[in-house]
Structures are given as C-alpha cells and as structure tokens.
Amino acid sequence: MKPEVLLLAPLPDLLLAPLKEEFVCHDWHQSKDKDGLLNRHGANIRAIIGAGGTTYHLSLLRDLPSLQIICVFGVGYDGVPLDYCKQRGIRVTNTPDVLTEDVADIALALVLMTSRKLVPATKFLQAGLWTRGNFELTTKPGGKRAGILGLGRIGKAIARRLEAIGMQVGYCCREKQPNVSYQYFFSPAEMAAWCHYLIVACPGGEQTKNLVNAQVLFALGSDGTLINIARGSVVDENALISALQGGFIKGAGLDVYAEEPYVPKKLLKMENVVLLPHVGSGTMETRKAMADLVVANLTAYFNGKPLPTLVPELA
Ligand code: NAP
C-alpha cells in the first residue's frame, strides 16, 4: 500500500511527478471540497508536503491522526508548529543548503538593482528617452557598508558576494560567531545606524516578527536601503511604507512580503522600490534539487532510514 500524503501548497511538476509514483497524493491546496477530502482521507494521511511560506494550521494537523511527517519544500519552516509536532512525535524536514546560492544571488541582484536603478534605467531606454539624453547618475555599492541580519547559510553566501563587489560587511545574529571576521552588532538598530544596506536573511516566525521596525528603519536613515530576501514577517510592512513615503530611508528591494502573494498597493506605486515575487530559490536547477530532497526525506522515513534533513530542533 502506498502511503497517503496531503499536498498543502502549489507544487511544481518536478516534485509532483516523483511523488505521485511513490505515494497516493491528495491535493488539499486545489481541492474545492476540503472538508469532504478530510472526511474521506484524513484518517489515512501520513505525510504533509507544503512550501516554505505555508502555514501548517494546528486545526488541520489535529484532524490528521495518522500524520507522522511534514516535509517542507523550502528552508524556512516558520509556518510549522514545532512544539505541537514535538509533542506528537511528528518529524519535520526542510531543504537547506541546495537553495543558498540562488537566494544569495537574488540579494546581490537587489543591491545592484536598487543602487544602480536598473529597473528605471530599462524603462528609460524602452520609453525612447535615451535619444534625448543620458540616464541619471546612480549610487556605487562598492565601498559602502552592508549589514546582514542573520548570518547563516544564506547570509554568509550574501556576504561573500558583497565582499566581491567591494562592500564592507557587518552582521547581527543573536550571538557573535567564532571565526567570523565581519563586524558584529548586538542589535538590528545598532547595525542599521552603521550600514547603507540592511539585508534581512534570518528566519521568519514569532521570534523575529517585526524585528525590522520603525526604530530600525529610522536608524538606517535617508541614505539607507532595506533588502529583504528572508520573510515578510521580519519587517513591519506599514513602518516600511511610512519610511519610504517620508524619505526616512532611501529605498527597498524586496523578494518577500507579509501577506504573499498580496503586496500592499502603496508599495506597488513607489519609484524607490524593487519588488520581486518571491523568486529567491526559483531556478529549475535548485527547485529540482529541493524536490529531490523532499522525496529523499519521505522515502527515507517510510523505509525506516535516517532523515537527510530533519530540522535541528527535532534532531
Ligand atoms: P540559517 O542557516 O538557519 O540562518 C539563519 C540565521 O539567522 C542564523 O545566523 C541565525 O543566527 C540568525 N537568526 C535567527 N534568529 C535570529 C534573530 N532573532 N535575530 C537575528 N538573527 C537571527 O538559515 P538560511 O538557510 O540562511 O535561511 C534563512 C532564511 O531565508 C530562511 O529561514 C527563509 O525564511 C529565508 N529564505 C528565503 C528564500 C526566498 O526565496 N526569498 C529562500 C530560502 C530561504 P543565531 O541563531 O545565532 O541568531
């Protein structure tokens, strides 16, 4: 008998195809009759697969008495109620490492796009304005200071890229890291006051909710730019909009938002922002590697083998 799994998010074919070979898949996300699906199959569901930004609601998990494992197709698992999973012995896996370089590329791209105004420059050319004169002068990122909030796998890969373009790197985590030579800051506000680019790369969830608040943005200042490739929840979005509108900060480059896929209308209308639709890990190569990890975790679990990427809190 193939194990039954519940699909909680829209998943790409490169994950769905191998899943469907090994498991009986129930598509919760697409289902128009979620209650009916639960009534018919809830008792047999042994695994859930969702995305990094998915919320794994307790009310749903409680209705799945046979649930044994949640596999997150992403590195961030802030949507998973870990304490509840611990209590019930539900295993949780994610897809670390394989997406690190792609997400760091997007952070670098956002630094370059905001500093060199690459989107307005493209629009300028497309509008035929070049024949009337040159595009405005922009800001050189080299020589400027970048503060990375969350110097983990992705934060470090971002740091390497920023050093390569001549930026000075500082970081803020809950603890100073041994063998890291970048300047350490104890608080996000202290680092924001020091840097020109504040780059958010820490996990989402309750512990980091609105860590970048009005005070931090004010400290970043009118020559400062906020880059967020982590989670929308880490930044107080209303405070960010006010800071951009009031000119308290210079600009923002965002890949993530508080209520994805909905982006505040006020942000959409701003000139001094670059907005990407959560594409950090969105390459064919990386999504395939992430899909392989999800399948590897599931098959390991159902064959009684050690899980390749069990989240550290449950290890
Ligand atoms: P990681 O290796 O676990 O690194 C997380 C870093 O954040 C660690 O250095 C950690 O250090 C720090 N941190 C944790 N809590 C903090 C706090 N309260 N204040 C300051 N720093 C804190 O994770 P990763 O693989 O680099 O991934 C980071 C995040 O990127 C993920 O959780 C996910 O949300 C996001 N992400 C986004 C995309 C995208 O498509 N845009 C793709 C993948 C991942 P300490 O524990 O010492 O504080």
Side-chain angles (χ1 to χ4, degrees):
M1 287 267 283
K2 290 180 177 179
E4 299 193 26
V5 308
L6 195 65
L7 311 179
L8 230 54
L11 300 171
D13 283 342
L14 48 78
L15 174 56
L16 286 178
L19 279 181
K20 284 177 180 167
E21 274 179 30
E22 305 273 342
F23 306 97
V24 177
C25 297
H26 301 287
D27 196 336
W28 169 267
H29 177 73
Q30 298 267 351
S31 171
K32 295 204 166 68
D33 177 19
K34 292 185 169 33
D35 287 343
L37 191 157
L38 264 192
N39 285 335
R40 285 191 303 279
H41 304 290
N44 301 323
I45 300 291
R46 297 173 67 191
I48 285 182
I49 298 154
T54 304
T55 303
Y56 301 75
H57 292 286
L58 272 180
S59 53
L60 173 64
L61 305 192
R62 287 194 180 110
D63 276 344
L64 304 173
S66 307
L67 182 65
Q68 292 156 14
I69 181 166
I70 295 175
C71 294
V72 179
F73 181 60
V75 71
Y77 47 93
D78 41 298
V80 180
L82 280 186
D83 288 342
Y84 175 80
C85 290
K86 243 185 227 174
Q87 276 169 28
R88 263 189 66 184
I90 297 168
R91 319 303 274 159
V92 179
T93 67
N94 65 343
T95 63
D97 297 313
V98 293
L99 44 61
T100 295
E101 305 300 329
D102 275 3
V103 183
D105 285 345
I106 289 296
L108 171 63
L110 286 170
V111 168
L112 293 172
M113 288 166 86
T114 48
S115 60
R116 301 299 303 270
K117 299 196 173 183
L118 298 180
V119 176
T122 301
K123 287 184 180 162
F124 172 88
L125 184 151
Q126 287 170 330
L129 297 174
W130 193 13
T131 52
R132 293 189 221 157
N134 288 332
F135 187 66
E136 67 186 277
L137 296 182
T138 60
T139 303
K140 176 176 176 157
K144 303 288 188 308
R145 294 187 291 270
I148 302 179
L149 180 56
L151 195 75
R153 289 169 293 241
I154 295 173
K156 288 193 175 83
I158 295 170
R160 288 196 295 274
R161 283 158 174 77
L162 299 184
E163 278 191 301
I165 63 166
M167 296 185 79
Q168 195 183 332
V169 174
Y171 75 102
C172 169
C173 290
R174 288 167 297 182
E175 284 189 22
K176 189 173 188 308
Q177 298 188 20
N179 308 321
V180 167
S181 57
Y182 307 131
Q183 186 167 345
Y184 174 72
F185 294 89
F186 175 71
S187 80
E190 192 194 349
M191 185 169 72
W194 170 83
C195 67
H196 301 96
Y197 293 83
L198 175 60
I199 301 173
V200 185
C202 64
E206 275 312 306
Q207 286 204 345
T208 57
K209 192 168 168 53
N210 292 342
L211 197 57
V212 177
N213 55 19
Q215 186 207 353
V216 173
L217 292 167
F218 191 73
L220 182 58
S222 56
D223 63 350
T225 299
L226 177 79
I227 306 290
N228 188 6
I229 52 79
R231 280 284 184 270
S233 61
V234 185
V235 176
D236 180 338
E237 220 163 57
N238 288 325
L240 173 63
I241 290 167
S242 301
L244 286 163
Q245 281 175 332
F248 301 122
I249 66 169
K250 185 175 173 186
L254 309 173
D255 187 40
V256 290
Y257 309 87
E259 302 289 340
E260 296 177 12
Y262 305 100
V263 178
K265 284 205 177 80
K266 285 179 182 166
L267 275 182
L268 296 178
K269 290 183 185 147
M270 287 179 185
E271 293 286 325
N272 53 345
V273 296
V274 175
L275 306 174
L276 300 179
H278 202 148
V279 293
S281 65
T283 64
M284 292 293 291
E285 295 86 345
T286 290
R287 289 285 162 88
K288 171 76 171 68
M290 291 163 64
D292 289 348
L293 255 187
V294 168
V295 175
N297 276 294
L298 273 181
T299 45
Y301 180 77
F302 287 112
N303 287 302
K305 301 254 168 63
L307 300 176
T309 51
L310 182 67
V311 302
E313 292 88 339
L314 301 185

